[in-house]
Amino acid sequence: KAASDKKQGTVINQVLNLIRVAVRDGGPDPKLNNSLSSLYDMGLKMRVEKSTMENAVKKFVAAPCNNFIVEARSPVGFLVLLDVSSEHSLSTTQSFLRKRLKRLDVNAGCALFAFDKKGIVTIPKVDGLPDLDDLAIESGAEDWRETVDVEDNPVIELICEDKCQYKVRDAVNESGINTTLVTYKYLPKGDIVELSDDNTAAVQDTFAMLDDSDMVNTYYTNIAGHS
């Protein structure tokens, strides 16, 4: 039970961090903010209390933070973008995060250039889905990929130009397929980096720490299995 409770706590924290990003980008009213509305729906399916999500919105509105994209790179070739909300300055925040990322041997450095900001529409991976190449084309998406959600359930992400995700969502819903999340992500432009066995444990431990962080809303990387 302790392990189950810990996992649910991580899920709740990840949902609340995504909600913080949605409020920052689109405002606190779910009727006017499609991303926030879809996150409420997703959170309820993942057993996150609506009052918990609403309180997170109120807290963020009452005490707005500084928002940064913190860039980091490793000598072995992997890159990390951290979407951060902090009450501290950028330099103080960077210093704090570098200590947390020490095990990865990463340093502050340009990384954003290696990513594209893309719209993402998520659907559950279930039996009976149409051909996904056809679905992407017909809905206006550029591509699709298989991944997992914050509860490690298999999902399909339809990838499109940022700001086009709501048109894609509407087209998918009109085809009779329910969407579970509409958002954006920074996806790596180039090759995905495969880690050695020596680095894998450090990366997994560090990213688990980031998942539980109240400062890091989400992160993006070009590491295989984490992008």
Side-chain angles (χ1 to χ4, degrees), residues 45-61:
K45 292 174 184 175
M46 294 179 174
R47 295 176 288 116
V48 182
E49 296 289 340
K50 186 175 183 181
S51 60
T52 300
M53 294 186 283
E54 290 175 337
N55 287 336
V57 171
K58 291 176 183 176
K59 181 179 178 181
F60 184 74
V61 171

Side-chain angles (χ1 to χ4, degrees), residues 89-221:
S89 68
L90 175 58
S91 59
T92 300
T93 301
Q94 286 177 323
S95 176
F96 174 83
L97 290 171
R98 276 198 294 271
K99 293 176 183 177
R100 295 299 185 272
L101 297 173
K102 188 175 181 180
R103 283 191 67 190
L104 300 188
D105 190 27
V106 299
N107 299 296
C110 295
L112 189 58
F113 73 92
F115 293 81
D116 278 327
K117 187 178 182 182
K118 292 292 186 179
I120 301 291
V121 177
T122 304
I123 61 176
K125 185 184 177 185
V126 295
D127 293 337
L129 287 176
D131 181 89
L132 292 171
D133 288 330
D134 290 342
L135 178 63
I137 292 171
E138 292 168 4
S139 63
E142 300 173 342
D143 202 354
W144 62 274
R145 67 177 186 173
E146 294 186 33
T147 184
V148 294
D149 63 18
V150 295
E151 284 191 312
D152 292 328
N153 297 314
V155 296
I156 303 296
E157 289 184 341
L158 298 171
I159 303 166
C160 62
E161 287 297 318
D162 185 36
K163 308 302 182 186
C164 293
Q165 52 264 53
Y166 300 107
K167 291 181 180 178
V168 172
R169 176 204 58 186
D170 291 345
V172 171
N173 288 340
E174 287 172 7
S175 72
I177 299 172
N178 291 325
T179 55
T180 56
L181 181 63
V182 183
T183 186
Y184 65 83
K185 291 183 177 181
Y186 287 92
L187 302 182
K189 296 178 183 178
D191 294 336
I192 300 298
V193 175
E194 297 283 349
L195 293 178
S196 67
D197 292 340
D198 292 339
N199 289 326
T200 297
V203 166
Q204 289 176 339
D205 290 346
T206 301
F207 285 167
M209 177 274 297
L210 294 178
D211 285 336
D212 290 331
S213 171
D214 290 332
M215 180 184 293
V216 179
N217 299 316
T218 190
Y219 59 85
Y220 310 99
T221 180

Side-chain angles (χ1 to χ4, degrees), residues 22 29-42 169:
D29 187 346
K31 294 179 181 178
L32 303 176
N33 185 337
N34 286 314
S35 291
L36 181 59
S37 177
S38 67
L39 282 166
Y40 276 175
D41 292 339
M42 184 184 80
R169 176 204 58 186

